[in-house]
Amino acid sequence: MTVALLSDVHANLVALEAVLADLPGGVDAIWVMGDTVGYGPDPADTLALLRGRHAWLVAGNHDRAVATGEGLELFNPAARAAATAHHTWLGAEDRDVLAAMPLTLVPAPGYTICHGSPRDPLWEYVFDARAASFAMADLATARCCVGHTHVPATFRTGDGRTMVNPGSVGQPRDGDPRAAYALLEPGTGDVTFRRVGYDIAETQRRMHERKLPEMLADRLSFGL
Ligand code: ZN
């Protein structure tokens, strides 16, 4: 069994299509660690494509903010403007789907998936093994997959737990503008991090056309 780990697609349909086209044969499942919407130009089509692929989807802070307004006051002005725009573009059914996404899921034995961290699924950023250790202390599974930081990483804790973050499909922040994702072999725990070039200019064109904040489009060129 091979699983594709995707996170923080952020309504970047062009990047998502490039990642899905890059998946090797034999991928049996897609796990998505939240923030499917927010920031980008194509929230409805991005959500529809992932649901059509029967992806496992958990809620991110942007998904909640778009669906219900929860946490919107914590966003910077550009993020808030995009989330508010997505709220109005999406139909009631899509908003209901986003609002109903669970905070955590166990898509395979031994694995929990969530957006930020197991102890604070919507908001905690985990950037090192020490933070991962605290965040996983009460977790029933030894392994978890997260997103939220937009930076690919694997953290191994002193008590033998593992946290994997595949990075962001739609808005990488590690200085590499290519879409990030990872392949996981759940049986062995082996993870392969992958990067895929996509047509960034096309995503930026759509963002401009849909009057999203310019800085959100500009940053895609730099992966920051
Ligand atoms: Zn995000």
Side-chain angles (χ1 to χ4, degrees), residues 135-157:
M136 294 179 73
D138 296 325
L139 191 63
T141 63
R143 292 167 173 156
C144 75
C145 304
V146 300
H148 196 40
T149 65
H150 298 209
V151 176
T154 299
F155 303 121
R156 289 184 184 80
T157 69

PDB file of all heavy atoms in Angstrom, residues 135-157:
ATOM      1  N   ALA A 135       3.306  17.613  21.430  1.00  0.00           N
ATOM      2  CA  ALA A 135       2.032  17.632  20.702  1.00  0.00           C
ATOM      3  C   ALA A 135       1.445  16.233  20.532  1.00  0.00           C
ATOM      4  O   ALA A 135       0.242  16.079  20.363  1.00  0.00           O
ATOM      5  CB  ALA A 135       2.218  18.292  19.338  1.00  0.00           C
ATOM      6  N   MET A 136       2.313  15.197  20.583  1.00  0.00           N
ATOM      7  CA  MET A 136       1.852  13.818  20.377  1.00  0.00           C
ATOM      8  C   MET A 136       1.749  13.039  21.679  1.00  0.00           C
ATOM      9  O   MET A 136       1.420  11.840  21.653  1.00  0.00           O
ATOM     10  CB  MET A 136       2.820  13.076  19.434  1.00  0.00           C
ATOM     11  CG  MET A 136       2.835  13.625  18.017  1.00  0.00           C
ATOM     12  SD  MET A 136       4.006  12.724  16.949  1.00  0.00           S
ATOM     13  CE  MET A 136       3.137  11.170  16.700  1.00  0.00           C
ATOM     14  N   ALA A 137       1.984  13.685  22.802  1.00  0.00           N
ATOM     15  CA  ALA A 137       2.096  12.970  24.077  1.00  0.00           C
ATOM     16  C   ALA A 137       0.876  12.115  24.397  1.00  0.00           C
ATOM     17  O   ALA A 137       1.005  11.007  24.914  1.00  0.00           O
ATOM     18  CB  ALA A 137       2.361  13.962  25.202  1.00  0.00           C
ATOM     19  N   ASP A 138      -0.309  12.605  24.102  1.00  0.00           N
ATOM     20  CA  ASP A 138      -1.532  11.881  24.455  1.00  0.00           C
ATOM     21  C   ASP A 138      -2.141  11.136  23.280  1.00  0.00           C
ATOM     22  O   ASP A 138      -3.287  10.678  23.335  1.00  0.00           O
ATOM     23  CB  ASP A 138      -2.573  12.863  25.012  1.00  0.00           C
ATOM     24  CG  ASP A 138      -2.105  13.504  26.310  1.00  0.00           C
ATOM     25  OD1 ASP A 138      -1.421  12.819  27.089  1.00  0.00           O
ATOM     26  OD2 ASP A 138      -2.411  14.692  26.530  1.00  0.00           O
ATOM     27  N   LEU A 139      -1.372  11.003  22.196  1.00  0.00           N
ATOM     28  CA  LEU A 139      -1.920  10.404  20.983  1.00  0.00           C
ATOM     29  C   LEU A 139      -1.926   8.878  21.070  1.00  0.00           C
ATOM     30  O   LEU A 139      -0.976   8.271  21.557  1.00  0.00           O
ATOM     31  CB  LEU A 139      -1.077  10.866  19.781  1.00  0.00           C
ATOM     32  CG  LEU A 139      -1.632  10.561  18.396  1.00  0.00           C
ATOM     33  CD1 LEU A 139      -2.962  11.282  18.175  1.00  0.00           C
ATOM     34  CD2 LEU A 139      -0.636  10.997  17.324  1.00  0.00           C
ATOM     35  N   ALA A 140      -3.002   8.268  20.567  1.00  0.00           N
ATOM     36  CA  ALA A 140      -3.124   6.807  20.631  1.00  0.00           C
ATOM     37  C   ALA A 140      -2.269   6.107  19.577  1.00  0.00           C
ATOM     38  O   ALA A 140      -1.948   4.930  19.723  1.00  0.00           O
ATOM     39  CB  ALA A 140      -4.594   6.409  20.453  1.00  0.00           C
ATOM     40  N   THR A 141      -1.913   6.794  18.504  1.00  0.00           N
ATOM     41  CA  THR A 141      -1.081   6.186  17.454  1.00  0.00           C
ATOM     42  C   THR A 141       0.353   6.691  17.578  1.00  0.00           C
ATOM     43  O   THR A 141       0.600   7.805  18.050  1.00  0.00           O
ATOM     44  CB  THR A 141      -1.614   6.521  16.049  1.00  0.00           C
ATOM     45  OG1 THR A 141      -1.533   7.941  15.841  1.00  0.00           O
ATOM     46  CG2 THR A 141      -3.047   6.061  15.874  1.00  0.00           C
ATOM     47  N   ALA A 142       1.302   5.866  17.113  1.00  0.00           N
ATOM     48  CA  ALA A 142       2.717   6.247  17.209  1.00  0.00           C
ATOM     49  C   ALA A 142       3.138   7.184  16.085  1.00  0.00           C
ATOM     50  O   ALA A 142       4.193   7.804  16.151  1.00  0.00           O
ATOM     51  CB  ALA A 142       3.597   5.000  17.185  1.00  0.00           C
ATOM     52  N   ARG A 143       2.298   7.257  15.038  1.00  0.00           N
ATOM     53  CA  ARG A 143       2.662   8.087  13.895  1.00  0.00           C
ATOM     54  C   ARG A 143       1.528   9.048  13.566  1.00  0.00           C
ATOM     55  O   ARG A 143       0.350   8.698  13.675  1.00  0.00           O
ATOM     56  CB  ARG A 143       2.971   7.208  12.682  1.00  0.00           C
ATOM     57  CG  ARG A 143       4.236   6.380  12.861  1.00  0.00           C
ATOM     58  CD  ARG A 143       4.350   5.317  11.803  1.00  0.00           C
ATOM     59  NE  ARG A 143       5.647   4.636  11.892  1.00  0.00           N
ATOM     60  CZ  ARG A 143       5.888   3.413  11.454  1.00  0.00           C
ATOM     61  NH1 ARG A 143       4.915   2.724  10.884  1.00  0.00           N
ATOM     62  NH2 ARG A 143       7.078   2.878  11.563  1.00  0.00           N
ATOM     63  N   CYS A 144       1.909  10.240  13.147  1.00  0.00           N
ATOM     64  CA  CYS A 144       0.884  11.159  12.666  1.00  0.00           C
ATOM     65  C   CYS A 144       1.416  11.969  11.499  1.00  0.00           C
ATOM     66  O   CYS A 144       2.620  12.125  11.311  1.00  0.00           O
ATOM     67  CB  CYS A 144       0.333  12.050  13.770  1.00  0.00           C
ATOM     68  SG  CYS A 144       1.383  13.369  14.287  1.00  0.00           S
ATOM     69  N   CYS A 145       0.476  12.438  10.681  1.00  0.00           N
ATOM     70  CA  CYS A 145       0.784  13.279   9.533  1.00  0.00           C
ATOM     71  C   CYS A 145       0.064  14.603   9.727  1.00  0.00           C
ATOM     72  O   CYS A 145      -1.119  14.616  10.078  1.00  0.00           O
ATOM     73  CB  CYS A 145       0.318  12.631   8.237  1.00  0.00           C
ATOM     74  SG  CYS A 145       1.004  10.978   7.975  1.00  0.00           S
ATOM     75  N   VAL A 146       0.795  15.696   9.515  1.00  0.00           N
ATOM     76  CA  VAL A 146       0.253  17.033   9.739  1.00  0.00           C
ATOM     77  C   VAL A 146       0.578  17.925   8.534  1.00  0.00           C
ATOM     78  O   VAL A 146       1.263  17.509   7.601  1.00  0.00           O
ATOM     79  CB  VAL A 146       0.836  17.668  11.021  1.00  0.00           C
ATOM     80  CG1 VAL A 146       0.516  16.815  12.243  1.00  0.00           C
ATOM     81  CG2 VAL A 146       2.342  17.888  10.890  1.00  0.00           C
ATOM     82  N   GLY A 147       0.105  19.167   8.611  1.00  0.00           N
ATOM     83  CA  GLY A 147       0.430  20.178   7.608  1.00  0.00           C
ATOM     84  C   GLY A 147       0.672  21.499   8.315  1.00  0.00           C
ATOM     85  O   GLY A 147       1.397  21.542   9.301  1.00  0.00           O
ATOM     86  N   HIS A 148       0.046  22.570   7.830  1.00  0.00           N
ATOM     87  CA  HIS A 148      -0.053  23.859   8.505  1.00  0.00           C
ATOM     88  C   HIS A 148       1.192  24.742   8.401  1.00  0.00           C
ATOM     89  O   HIS A 148       1.080  25.945   8.224  1.00  0.00           O
ATOM     90  CB  HIS A 148      -0.432  23.639   9.973  1.00  0.00           C
ATOM     91  CG  HIS A 148      -0.925  24.847  10.705  1.00  0.00           C
ATOM     92  ND1 HIS A 148      -1.775  25.786  10.147  1.00  0.00           N
ATOM     93  CD2 HIS A 148      -0.708  25.283  11.980  1.00  0.00           C
ATOM     94  CE1 HIS A 148      -2.049  26.722  11.060  1.00  0.00           C
ATOM     95  NE2 HIS A 148      -1.408  26.443  12.170  1.00  0.00           N
ATOM     96  N   THR A 149       2.399  24.156   8.527  1.00  0.00           N
ATOM     97  CA  THR A 149       3.609  25.002   8.447  1.00  0.00           C
ATOM     98  C   THR A 149       3.994  25.304   7.003  1.00  0.00           C
ATOM     99  O   THR A 149       4.745  26.239   6.752  1.00  0.00           O
ATOM    100  CB  THR A 149       4.822  24.331   9.106  1.00  0.00           C
ATOM    101  OG1 THR A 149       5.158  23.145   8.371  1.00  0.00           O
ATOM    102  CG2 THR A 149       4.527  23.977  10.556  1.00  0.00           C
ATOM    103  N   HIS A 150       3.531  24.473   6.056  1.00  0.00           N
ATOM    104  CA  HIS A 150       3.915  24.594   4.646  1.00  0.00           C
ATOM    105  C   HIS A 150       5.401  24.298   4.439  1.00  0.00           C
ATOM    106  O   HIS A 150       5.995  24.728   3.445  1.00  0.00           O
ATOM    107  CB  HIS A 150       3.576  25.985   4.071  1.00  0.00           C
ATOM    108  CG  HIS A 150       2.120  26.332   4.067  1.00  0.00           C
ATOM    109  ND1 HIS A 150       1.557  27.186   3.132  1.00  0.00           N
ATOM    110  CD2 HIS A 150       1.092  25.954   4.872  1.00  0.00           C
ATOM    111  CE1 HIS A 150       0.253  27.319   3.376  1.00  0.00           C
ATOM    112  NE2 HIS A 150      -0.041  26.593   4.433  1.00  0.00           N
ATOM    113  N   VAL A 151       6.014  23.562   5.369  1.00  0.00           N
ATOM    114  CA  VAL A 151       7.435  23.202   5.272  1.00  0.00           C
ATOM    115  C   VAL A 151       7.557  21.685   5.439  1.00  0.00           C
ATOM    116  O   VAL A 151       7.158  21.149   6.474  1.00  0.00           O
ATOM    117  CB  VAL A 151       8.258  23.919   6.367  1.00  0.00           C
ATOM    118  CG1 VAL A 151       9.716  23.465   6.317  1.00  0.00           C
ATOM    119  CG2 VAL A 151       8.174  25.438   6.197  1.00  0.00           C
ATOM    120  N   PRO A 152       8.119  20.980   4.430  1.00  0.00           N
ATOM    121  CA  PRO A 152       8.242  19.522   4.550  1.00  0.00           C
ATOM    122  C   PRO A 152       9.208  19.136   5.670  1.00  0.00           C
ATOM    123  O   PRO A 152      10.266  19.756   5.826  1.00  0.00           O
ATOM    124  CB  PRO A 152       8.818  19.085   3.191  1.00  0.00           C
ATOM    125  CG  PRO A 152       8.691  20.268   2.288  1.00  0.00           C
ATOM    126  CD  PRO A 152       8.654  21.479   3.153  1.00  0.00           C
ATOM    127  N   ALA A 153       8.846  18.090   6.438  1.00  0.00           N
ATOM    128  CA  ALA A 153       9.722  17.680   7.542  1.00  0.00           C
ATOM    129  C   ALA A 153       9.282  16.325   8.086  1.00  0.00           C
ATOM    130  O   ALA A 153       8.114  15.944   7.982  1.00  0.00           O
ATOM    131  CB  ALA A 153       9.660  18.703   8.682  1.00  0.00           C
ATOM    132  N   THR A 154      10.245  15.617   8.685  1.00  0.00           N
ATOM    133  CA  THR A 154       9.945  14.453   9.519  1.00  0.00           C
ATOM    134  C   THR A 154      10.558  14.695  10.885  1.00  0.00           C
ATOM    135  O   THR A 154      11.726  15.064  10.973  1.00  0.00           O
ATOM    136  CB  THR A 154      10.550  13.159   8.929  1.00  0.00           C
ATOM    137  OG1 THR A 154       9.990  12.927   7.642  1.00  0.00           O
ATOM    138  CG2 THR A 154      10.245  11.962   9.821  1.00  0.00           C
ATOM    139  N   PHE A 155       9.783  14.515  11.939  1.00  0.00           N
ATOM    140  CA  PHE A 155      10.289  14.665  13.307  1.00  0.00           C
ATOM    141  C   PHE A 155      10.171  13.330  14.022  1.00  0.00           C
ATOM    142  O   PHE A 155       9.113  12.714  14.027  1.00  0.00           O
ATOM    143  CB  PHE A 155       9.492  15.724  14.081  1.00  0.00           C
ATOM    144  CG  PHE A 155       9.496  17.073  13.422  1.00  0.00           C
ATOM    145  CD1 PHE A 155       8.312  17.678  13.045  1.00  0.00           C
ATOM    146  CD2 PHE A 155      10.692  17.738  13.183  1.00  0.00           C
ATOM    147  CE1 PHE A 155       8.306  18.919  12.432  1.00  0.00           C
ATOM    148  CE2 PHE A 155      10.702  18.993  12.569  1.00  0.00           C
ATOM    149  CZ  PHE A 155       9.503  19.577  12.203  1.00  0.00           C
ATOM    150  N   ARG A 156      11.275  12.885  14.633  1.00  0.00           N
ATOM    151  CA  ARG A 156      11.257  11.658  15.438  1.00  0.00           C
ATOM    152  C   ARG A 156      11.459  12.045  16.892  1.00  0.00           C
ATOM    153  O   ARG A 156      12.437  12.706  17.238  1.00  0.00           O
ATOM    154  CB  ARG A 156      12.344  10.696  14.966  1.00  0.00           C
ATOM    155  CG  ARG A 156      12.014  10.086  13.620  1.00  0.00           C
ATOM    156  CD  ARG A 156      13.007   9.046  13.136  1.00  0.00           C
ATOM    157  NE  ARG A 156      12.630   8.599  11.790  1.00  0.00           N
ATOM    158  CZ  ARG A 156      12.909   9.281  10.677  1.00  0.00           C
ATOM    159  NH1 ARG A 156      13.608  10.398  10.741  1.00  0.00           N
ATOM    160  NH2 ARG A 156      12.512   8.823   9.495  1.00  0.00           N
ATOM    161  N   THR A 157      10.547  11.607  17.752  1.00  0.00           N
ATOM    162  CA  THR A 157      10.614  11.992  19.157  1.00  0.00           C
ATOM    163  C   THR A 157      11.433  10.961  19.939  1.00  0.00           C
ATOM    164  O   THR A 157      11.666   9.845  19.464  1.00  0.00           O
ATOM    165  CB  THR A 157       9.201  12.088  19.769  1.00  0.00           C
ATOM    166  OG1 THR A 157       8.652  10.773  19.852  1.00  0.00           O
ATOM    167  CG2 THR A 157       8.292  12.955  18.909  1.00  0.00           C
TER     168      THR A 157
END
